[in-house]
Amino acid sequence: MVRKPQTVELPSIGPLDRTAGHLGRQLAQALRNAVRRGDLKPGEVLPSTRALATSLHIARGTVVEAFDQLIAEGFLESRPRAGTSVAQSLTTPAARTPERSASVELTTLPKRAALFAQVARQFSALPAAPFAVSVPVGAAAPNDVWRRLGNRLRARGPGAPAGYGDPQGARALREAIADYVRRSRSVRCSAEQVIITSGTQQGLYLSCQVLLDADDMAWVEDPAYRGITAILESTGRPERMIRVPVDAEGLKVDAGIGLCRHARAAFVTSSHQYPLGMPMSMARRNALLAWAGSNNAWVVEDDYDSELRYAGHPFPSLQGLDPNRVIYLGTFSKILFPSLRLGYAVVPDNLVEAFCGARVLMDRNPPNADQHVLAAFIAEGHLDRHIRRIRGVYADRRARIIETIERLLPKKVAWLQPSDQGMHMVLWLGRGVDDIAVASLAAESGVAVRAVSPMYSDGKGPMGLILGLGGFSDDEIEIATRHLARSIAAVASKRGNVSAAKRRTPGRSSAKRT
Amino acid sequence: MVRKPQTVELPSIGPLDRTAGHLGRQLAQALRNAVRRGDLKPGEVLPSTRALATSLHIARGTVVEAFDQLIAEGFLESRPRAGTSVAQSLTTPAARTPERSASVELTTLPKRAALFAQVARQFSALPAAPFAVSVPVGAAAPNDVWRRLGNRLRARGPGAPAGYGDPQGARALREAIADYVRRSRSVRCSAEQVIITSGTQQGLYLSCQVLLDADDMAWVEDPAYRGITAILESTGRPERMIRVPVDAEGLKVDAGIGLCRHARAAFVTSSHQYPLGMPMSMARRNALLAWAGSNNAWVVEDDYDSELRYAGHPFPSLQGLDPNRVIYLGTFSKILFPSLRLGYAVVPDNLVEAFCGARVLMDRNPPNADQHVLAAFIAEGHLDRHIRRIRGVYADRRARIIETIERLLPKKVAWLQPSDQGMHMVLWLGRGVDDIAVASLAAESGVAVRAVSPMYSDGKGPMGLILGLGGFSDDEIEIATRHLARSIAAVASKRGNVSAAKRRTPGRSSAKRT
C-alpha cells in the first residue's frame, strides 16, 4: 500500500484565538486533534511552515515551534527534502476509540466497582446538625490552644513542611499516645507498638489486611458498625464474616465458638458496643481472650469513644488483659474532632512491621504537621484538660437530649436507651415503624439520624435510630426533636399502607442507609 | 465440685503507693491482677472491707469504692450475708493465656503479615540528605504564604475543626484541581470527577481495588515503581501482574499484547517513566489507548512529577486523549511537599462513586484543614507562582548535581542519564558494581540513594542509583558526591571477591532495598 506522499490542506484547523496567547501551543493542539479525528493520516505531508503561517496569519516561527513540539512528541516526522509528515508509526489511531468503548464500558464495569459504589451511598456524610455524632461546634470544639499550638509548630517547629515520613507515624506522637493509653485505658505498650492511623476505619482496614489470610474467617458483632462489615464484604468473600450475636453482656462468646471455633480474629466494641451501647462484661472478656489464646486467634478491640464516661470507672481494656493477642484501636475523632483524621493502633511487637508495611501500600505515611501539634497537645496536658471539659459538655448535651426526647416523644412511640458513656444513644421505635423511612424523612427537615436495623446481619433487627451527641444548642436540639417527632408520626401513620415487614428482606442490610 | 466458700488472704497485694494518688483505683487494679494470676479464684470470698482497709492502712471507703467498681466490671460478686467473692462466671481465667499463646503465635503469624513486614523494610524512609527525592528544604520549600494562609483558614475559615467530611474531598479543592489540570496537563474533567487522595500511593491502591476483580490481570512497566508492584504482590496472587518491558519510547504495547492481551488495566508512568526518566512517545500513547479501547481495559496514568519540565512543552496527558478509559493520578508531594499527603485521582464519571466507596473503607475522608489551605493556595495563584519558582530552583540543583557528578566520578565508573523533567536522575554504575551494596554503603555515610536493579522484574536489571533533587546546598551536594564516589569505589574494588552475579537471583527483586 505504497502511497505517494501528498500535501494536505487543513480545513479543520480553525482560526487561532489571539486573545488566549500561546499560539504555538494552540496550533500544536489543533494538529493533534486533527490526527486523532483522522483528518490527518499517517504518512500525509503537512503544508510548509511558510504556507501554514500565511494561511493562519501567524508568524512562521510559531508554526516551526508547533512542528518541533509535535516531532518531539512523535506525532510528526521530518525528513530532509520530503517536508514534515504525520508519523507513519501512528498506525493505530485512537480516533474512534472513545465512541466505540463508551457503550462497552457502561455494561462491563468491574464487579467490585458496583460494590464500592453501594458503600459510598451508605456512608454519605451527615450534615452538621442534630443528631449527628461528634460535631465539634459550640462548647464541644477544641479551644484556642489547639490553633495557637498549630501556628507555632508549623512556623518553626517539627510541623513545618517536610519530606516523606515514618509509616508508623511521628515518634513524638507515638510516645504521647503510649503514655496516654497506659494512664487512661490500662493499655500496656511502648511507643514502638503504636501505629498512627487516620482513625478507627484505617485501623480496622489494616487489621483485616494483616491478620486475615485469604481463607480466614472473622467474628463480627451482630449488630455492628457498618465500617467493619463493609470491609469484609468488599473482599468479595462475605462468607468469611461470621456474625456473632450480642446480648446485655456484649458478644456471646459461646455462640461464636458454636458458629465457628476456628475464626482467626474477632472484632469487638468491648467498651461501648456499637450501636447498642453496653460494655462487655468481665466474664465475657475473659472467655473471649481464652478462646483467642487456645485458637491462635486475634482480638481487635475497637475502643472508639470510651474516654467519655459519665459514671464509674471504665473497664480495663482487653489489650491490658492480654497484650500479645489484642490489637487495640483508638481515635481522636471523638474526643477532638473527626476532620483531624488521626487515630492509632496498638499492636503486639511481632505485628508492628506488618502493620507499617500494609500502611505504606495504602498511603505511605500520615501527614506530618498535625501529628506534631497533637503530640504537643497531649504532652503539655491540654488533652487531659480538654477531655475533662468536654465530658461535662457532652454529659450536659446528653441530659438535654434525654429531657427533650422524653418530653416530646410519648414512650409508646419511641424510647431512649441511654448508656453511661460515649457519644450516642439509641432511640428505639415502636412496633412496625420503619427506621430507614424515618431517617430519610427526618433528613428532609435537616435532622441527621442513622437507622439501626441495617446494622443487624439479616436487616430484620429491631427498629431504632442513632442519636449522636454534638455541641448543639438547646434550641437546635428542641427544634430537631420536634422535626424528628413529626417524621416518626408520619411514618407510623403509614405503617398500615406500606408494609414494613415486606421491606425486611435479608438483602436489606446492604441496601440504602440514610 | 462444691466447695465451701472461704475467706482468702491477699499476700500478693503489696502496699499501695500513696504518692501516686487514686488509692481506690490502685487497689482495684491489684485485685484484678490477683484474679488474672490465679491468686484469687472464682468463688473465693474476699476479706471484709473493714479488714482489708485495716491491713492496707487505707480508709474503708476506699476499699468499698474498689469493690463496687469490680462488682460493676463483673470481677466480683456480692451476696447478702455471704460477703464479697470472686465471680463464679470467671471460670475461664485468662491467667495462663499469655504464656501459653506466646510460643504458638511466634510460629503462626498470618502469611500476609510476613509479606507486609517485608514491604515495610523496603520502604524505610530515606534521611533528608542528598540524594533523597523531594526534600523541601532551602529554596525548594514553600514560602511563607503557605503558612500564613493556613493560619488564617484554620482560625476563622473552612479549615477550622469540623466533623466527618466528604470522602471525595472538599469541593473547593476539587474545583481548584480540575481547573489546574485542565490548564497545565490537558486533562479534561469537572470537579465531580476529582477524588482527593493522600498522594499517588493511595491513588494506585484505590485503582487496584476498584478496577481489578479477583482474577483480573494488570500490566505493569518493567522496571517500575515499587509502590505499584508491592500492592499487586500483596494480594497474594502475584501472577496477576504482567510485567511489560519499556524501551526508549516507554511501555512496549506490542509486547504487552503478546504477553496478555486481555489484561484489565495498565499502570504507566507515561510522562516520566519511573525510574528511567523518558516520556512515552505519541505512537505508544495511541497504541496503548487503542488496545484499552478494544479490550475493555483501563489505563492508570501515574503523572507524579510532570510539572517540573526543564525543556519543551509537556506531552498531552493520556487522560486528555481518552477521558473514558484513563484514571489520571497526580500528587502535591513533588511540587509542594511530601508531608502534606495530598494528591488526586481524576476518574471517568461512572467510576466516581466506586472510588469514593473504596476510600471510605480505607480511611473515610481526607483531613479537612490542609485541603482548604491548598484550595486557596491554588485559586489565589500561589501554586502557579510556586511552580515557576521551584522549576528554576530544581533546574539549578539538577545542573549542580550533573556538574559535580561529572567532575568527581569518572565516566568509566558511573554515568548520569539526565532527563528533561522531573525530580530524579539515574546514575548508571559500571559493569558488576552492585547497586544495592553501594546504596547500603552510602547510607552509612549519610548519603540517600536507592538502587535501580530491584525495580526490574527479575532483579537482574542494569545496576544504577536514583539521585533525587532536593533543595540541598552546593556544599551538601559536593560532600555527598564525594562520599558516594568513595562508596562506589569501595564496592567496585570488591567485585572480584563478592560475585555480584551470584546475588542476582530471581528472588532478589523482593529482597532488601535500601
Side-chain angles (χ1 to χ4, degrees):
Chain A
M1 210 178 74
V2 176
R3 190 168 56 163
K4 188 165 183 287
Q6 57 175 56
T7 303
V8 293
E9 298 210 313
L10 291 170
S12 66
I13 298 187
L16 304 178
D17 179 358
R18 270 150 215 292
T19 62
H22 296 297
L23 290 172
R25 216 179 287 182
Q26 283 187 50
L27 176 58
Q29 190 58 46
L31 288 167
R32 279 188 210 103
N33 291 340
V35 170
R36 275 200 296 275
R37 279 193 308 266
D39 294 348
L40 277 172
K41 300 199 169 43
E44 284 182 336
V45 176
L46 271 72
S48 71
T49 52
R50 189 180 312 267
L52 197 52
T54 307
S55 76
L56 290 169
H57 306 290
I58 57 178
R60 192 182 158 207
T62 304
V63 180
V64 171
E65 180 197 329
F67 277 23
D68 283 351
Q69 171 62 24
L70 292 174
I71 289 167
E73 292 180 7
F75 254 117
L76 304 183
E77 291 170 350
S78 175
R79 270 167 304 176
R81 280 184 304 276
T84 302
S85 57
V86 179
Q88 284 286 6
S89 56
L90 298 178
T91 44
T92 47
R96 279 158 37 227
T97 304
E99 292 79 355
R100 205 194 326 144
S101 65
S103 59
V104 178
E105 76 191 343
L106 285 174
T107 55
T108 57
L109 284 184
K111 283 194 284 283
R112 301 187 75 189
L115 208 138
F116 285 124
Q118 197 178 59
V119 169
R121 291 188 289 273
Q122 292 167 349
F123 275 84
S124 58
L126 293 175
F131 299 90
V133 74
S134 194
V135 182
V137 294
N143 63 21
D144 208 44
V145 170
W146 174 261
R147 191 181 60 75
R148 279 188 277 118
L149 207 52
N151 290 355
R152 197 178 78 212
L153 294 172
R154 281 190 190 82
R156 302 175 287 283
Y164 291 97
D166 187 342
Q168 193 171 354
R171 170 119 209 139
L173 180 56
R174 290 190 281 117
E175 280 174 355
I177 288 172
D179 183 56
Y180 166 68
V181 294
R182 247 191 326 256
R183 279 188 285 115
S184 67
R185 298 294 295 116
S186 65
V187 169
R188 293 188 269 157
C189 70
S190 69
E192 279 72 28
Q193 291 171 262
V194 177
I195 321 272
I196 305 303
T197 65
S198 59
T200 298
Q201 189 66 37
Q202 191 174 47
L204 292 169
Y205 195 95
L206 288 169
S207 299
C208 289
Q209 288 274 301
V210 171
L211 303 179
L212 300 175
D213 284 330
D215 295 319
D216 289 340
M217 317 290 275
W219 290 0
V220 173
E221 294 167 314
D222 192 8
Y225 172 51
R226 181 80 187 122
I228 178 62
T229 58
I231 291 173
L232 290 165
E233 285 172 13
S234 79
T235 62
R237 303 267 319 278
E239 70 277 12
R240 291 168 52 199
M241 173 166 60
I242 307 297
R243 298 295 294 271
V244 180
V246 301
D247 63 13
E249 289 191 69
L251 187 91
K252 293 170 77 168
V253 178
D254 287 346
I257 292 172
L259 287 164
C260 178
R261 174 184 291 271
H262 297 296
R264 197 68 203 273
F267 292 82
V268 290
T269 48
S270 36
S271 295
H272 188 219
Q273 207 277 334
Y274 191 89
L276 302 180
M278 69 287 178
M280 183 183 282
S281 74
M282 206 58 217
R284 291 281 172 83
R285 285 169 197 248
N286 283 330
L288 180 64
L289 293 172
W291 162 78
S294 57
N295 282 279
N296 192 36
W298 309 95
V299 174
V300 180
E301 179 177 25
D302 173 1
D303 201 12
Y304 60 100
D305 72 356
S306 67
E307 288 91 350
L308 293 168
R309 205 175 156 84
Y310 311 115
H313 293 304
F315 279 51
S317 64
L318 288 167
Q319 198 275 355
L321 299 176
D322 193 351
N324 292 323
R325 280 282 155 214
V326 178
I327 286 81
Y328 177 90
L329 306 180
T331 179
F332 295 97
S333 292
K334 300 293 186 288
I335 49 169
L336 274 166
F337 50 94
S339 72
L340 178 61
R341 309 310 306 134
L342 283 175
Y344 47 95
V346 176
V347 310
D349 281 321
N350 56 1
L351 288 178
V352 169
E353 243 182 354
F355 270 75
C356 290
R359 204 244 153 92
V360 157
L361 297 184
M362 284 170 71
D363 60 2
R364 295 207 62 155
N365 61 265
N368 189 56
D370 280 338
Q371 286 190 79
H372 287 284
V373 179
L374 180 55
F377 194 77
I378 300 174
E380 295 178 16
H382 302 298
L383 182 68
D384 287 341
R385 277 190 286 277
H386 175 76
I387 292 176
R388 279 197 296 275
R389 184 172 67 77
I390 63 164
R391 210 175 262 156
V393 171
Y394 283 114
D396 185 57
R397 295 300 80 199
R398 175 174 168 275
R400 172 60 64 167
I401 290 177
I402 293 173
E403 182 276 319
T404 311
I405 291 278
E406 289 181 346
R407 175 161 46 80
L408 295 172
L409 280 163
K411 273 239 161 48
K412 215 180 66 180
V413 172
W415 59 97
L416 264 180
Q417 177 187 310
S419 84
D420 282 347
Q421 60 179 313
M423 298 188 83
H424 78 269
M425 295 177 281
V426 178
L427 179 70
W428 295 110
L429 299 177
R431 237 182 131 67
V433 180
D434 191 87
D435 52 2
I436 296 179
V438 171
S440 170
L441 199 59
E444 288 173 24
S445 51
V447 177
V449 288
R450 292 207 188 267
V452 169
S453 65
M455 300 178 190
Y456 284 83
S457 59
D458 62 358
K460 288 186 192 166
M463 298 287 168
L465 302 171
I466 301 288
L467 304 194
L469 308 180
F472 301 108
S473 70
D474 290 359
D475 279 356
E476 288 170 310
I477 291 171
E478 178 86 16
I479 292 166
T481 308
R482 288 182 187 278
H483 281 307
L484 183 60
R486 271 196 293 274
S487 300
I488 294 172
V491 172
S493 74
K494 275 191 221 152
R495 77 185 119 171
N497 308 329
V498 181
S499 164
K502 202 175 166 188
R503 293 190 51 202
R504 289 186 216 161
T505 59
R508 183 183 166 195
S509 66
S510 54
K512 187 181 83 167
R513 175 176 163 194
T514 48
Chain B
M1 210 178 74
V2 177
R3 190 167 56 162
K4 190 169 183 285
Q6 56 175 56
T7 302
V8 293
E9 300 211 315
L10 291 171
S12 66
I13 298 186
L16 304 179
D17 179 358
R18 271 150 214 291
T19 62
H22 296 297
L23 289 174
R25 215 180 286 180
Q26 284 187 49
L27 175 58
Q29 189 57 47
L31 288 167
R32 280 189 209 102
N33 291 341
V35 170
R36 276 201 295 277
R37 279 193 307 267
D39 294 347
L40 276 172
K41 298 198 171 47
E44 286 181 336
V45 177
L46 272 72
S48 71
T49 52
R50 188 182 313 265
L52 197 53
T54 306
S55 75
L56 291 169
H57 306 289
I58 58 179
R60 191 181 160 208
T62 304
V63 180
V64 171
E65 179 197 331
F67 277 24
D68 283 351
Q69 171 62 25
L70 293 173
I71 289 167
E73 292 179 8
F75 254 119
L76 302 183
E77 289 170 349
S78 174
R79 270 168 303 178
R81 279 181 306 272
T84 302
S85 57
V86 178
Q88 285 286 4
S89 55
L90 298 178
T91 42
T92 47
R96 277 156 39 224
T97 304
E99 292 79 355
R100 205 195 323 147
S101 66
S103 59
V104 178
E105 76 191 343
L106 283 174
T107 55
T108 56
L109 283 185
K111 284 194 284 286
R112 302 188 74 190
L115 208 139
F116 285 124
Q118 197 178 58
V119 169
R121 290 189 290 271
Q122 291 166 350
F123 275 83
S124 59
L126 293 175
F131 302 90
V133 74
S134 194
V135 183
V137 295
N143 62 21
D144 208 43
V145 170
W146 173 262
R147 190 182 61 74
R148 279 188 280 119
L149 208 53
N151 289 356
R152 200 178 76 212
L153 293 173
R154 280 191 190 82
R156 298 175 290 283
Y164 290 97
D166 187 341
Q168 192 171 355
R171 170 122 209 137
L173 180 56
R174 290 190 280 119
E175 280 174 357
I177 288 172
D179 183 55
Y180 166 69
V181 294
R182 245 190 329 254
R183 280 188 283 115
S184 66
R185 297 294 295 118
S186 66
V187 169
R188 293 188 269 155
C189 69
S190 68
E192 279 73 28
Q193 291 170 260
V194 177
I195 320 272
I196 304 304
T197 66
S198 59
T200 299
Q201 189 66 36
Q202 192 175 46
L204 292 169
Y205 195 94
L206 288 171
S207 299
C208 290
Q209 287 274 303
V210 172
L211 303 179
L212 300 175
D213 283 330
D215 295 319
D216 288 340
M217 317 289 278
W219 290 1
V220 173
E221 295 168 314
D222 191 9
Y225 171 51
R226 181 80 188 121
I228 177 64
T229 59
I231 291 174
L232 289 166
E233 285 172 12
S234 78
T235 62
R237 302 267 319 277
E239 70 277 11
R240 290 168 52 198
M241 173 166 59
I242 307 296
R243 298 296 293 269
V244 180
V246 300
D247 64 12
E249 290 191 70
L251 186 92
K252 294 171 77 168
V253 178
D254 287 346
I257 293 172
L259 287 164
C260 179
R261 173 183 291 271
H262 297 296
R264 197 65 203 273
F267 292 83
V268 291
T269 47
S270 36
S271 295
H272 188 220
Q273 207 278 333
Y274 191 90
L276 303 181
M278 69 287 176
M280 184 183 281
S281 74
M282 205 61 216
R284 292 282 173 80
R285 283 167 200 251
N286 284 328
L288 180 63
L289 293 173
W291 162 78
S294 59
N295 283 279
N296 192 36
W298 308 95
V299 174
V300 180
E301 179 176 23
D302 173 1
D303 201 12
Y304 60 100
D305 71 357
S306 67
E307 287 90 351
L308 293 169
R309 204 175 157 82
Y310 311 116
H313 294 304
F315 280 50
S317 64
L318 288 166
Q319 198 276 354
L321 300 175
D322 194 351
N324 292 322
R325 279 282 155 215
V326 178
I327 286 80
Y328 177 90
L329 305 180
T331 179
F332 294 97
S333 293
K334 301 293 186 286
I335 49 170
L336 274 167
F337 50 94
S339 72
L340 178 60
R341 308 312 304 135
L342 282 175
Y344 47 97
V346 176
V347 310
D349 282 320
N350 55 3
L351 288 178
V352 169
E353 240 180 356
F355 270 76
C356 291
R359 204 243 154 92
V360 157
L361 296 185
M362 284 169 72
D363 60 2
R364 296 211 56 159
N365 60 265
N368 189 57
D370 280 339
Q371 287 191 79
H372 287 284
V373 179
L374 181 54
F377 194 76
I378 300 173
E380 295 177 16
H382 302 300
L383 182 68
D384 287 341
R385 278 190 285 277
H386 175 75
I387 291 176
R388 279 197 297 274
R389 184 172 68 75
I390 64 164
R391 210 175 262 154
V393 171
Y394 282 115
D396 185 57
R397 295 300 80 198
R398 175 175 169 274
R400 172 60 64 171
I401 290 177
I402 293 173
E403 182 277 319
T404 312
I405 291 279
E406 289 181 347
R407 174 161 48 80
L408 295 173
L409 280 162
K411 273 241 162 40
K412 217 180 63 179
V413 173
W415 59 99
L416 264 181
Q417 177 187 308
S419 84
D420 281 348
Q421 62 179 312
M423 298 189 83
H424 77 270
M425 296 178 281
V426 178
L427 179 70
W428 295 111
L429 299 176
R431 239 183 128 67
V433 181
D434 190 87
D435 51 1
I436 295 180
V438 172
S440 171
L441 200 58
E444 288 172 22
S445 50
V447 178
V449 287
R450 292 209 188 263
V452 169
S453 65
M455 300 177 191
Y456 284 84
S457 58
D458 62 359
K460 287 185 190 166
M463 297 288 168
L465 301 170
I466 301 288
L467 304 194
L469 307 180
F472 301 107
S473 70
D474 290 358
D475 280 356
E476 288 170 310
I477 291 171
E478 178 85 16
I479 293 166
T481 308
R482 289 182 186 279
H483 281 306
L484 183 60
R486 272 196 291 274
S487 300
I488 293 172
V491 172
S493 73
K494 274 190 220 154
R495 78 186 116 173
N497 307 331
V498 181
S499 165
K502 200 174 165 188
R503 293 191 50 202
R504 291 187 214 159
T505 59
R508 182 184 166 195
S509 65
S510 53
K512 186 181 84 168
R513 176 176 163 195
T514 47

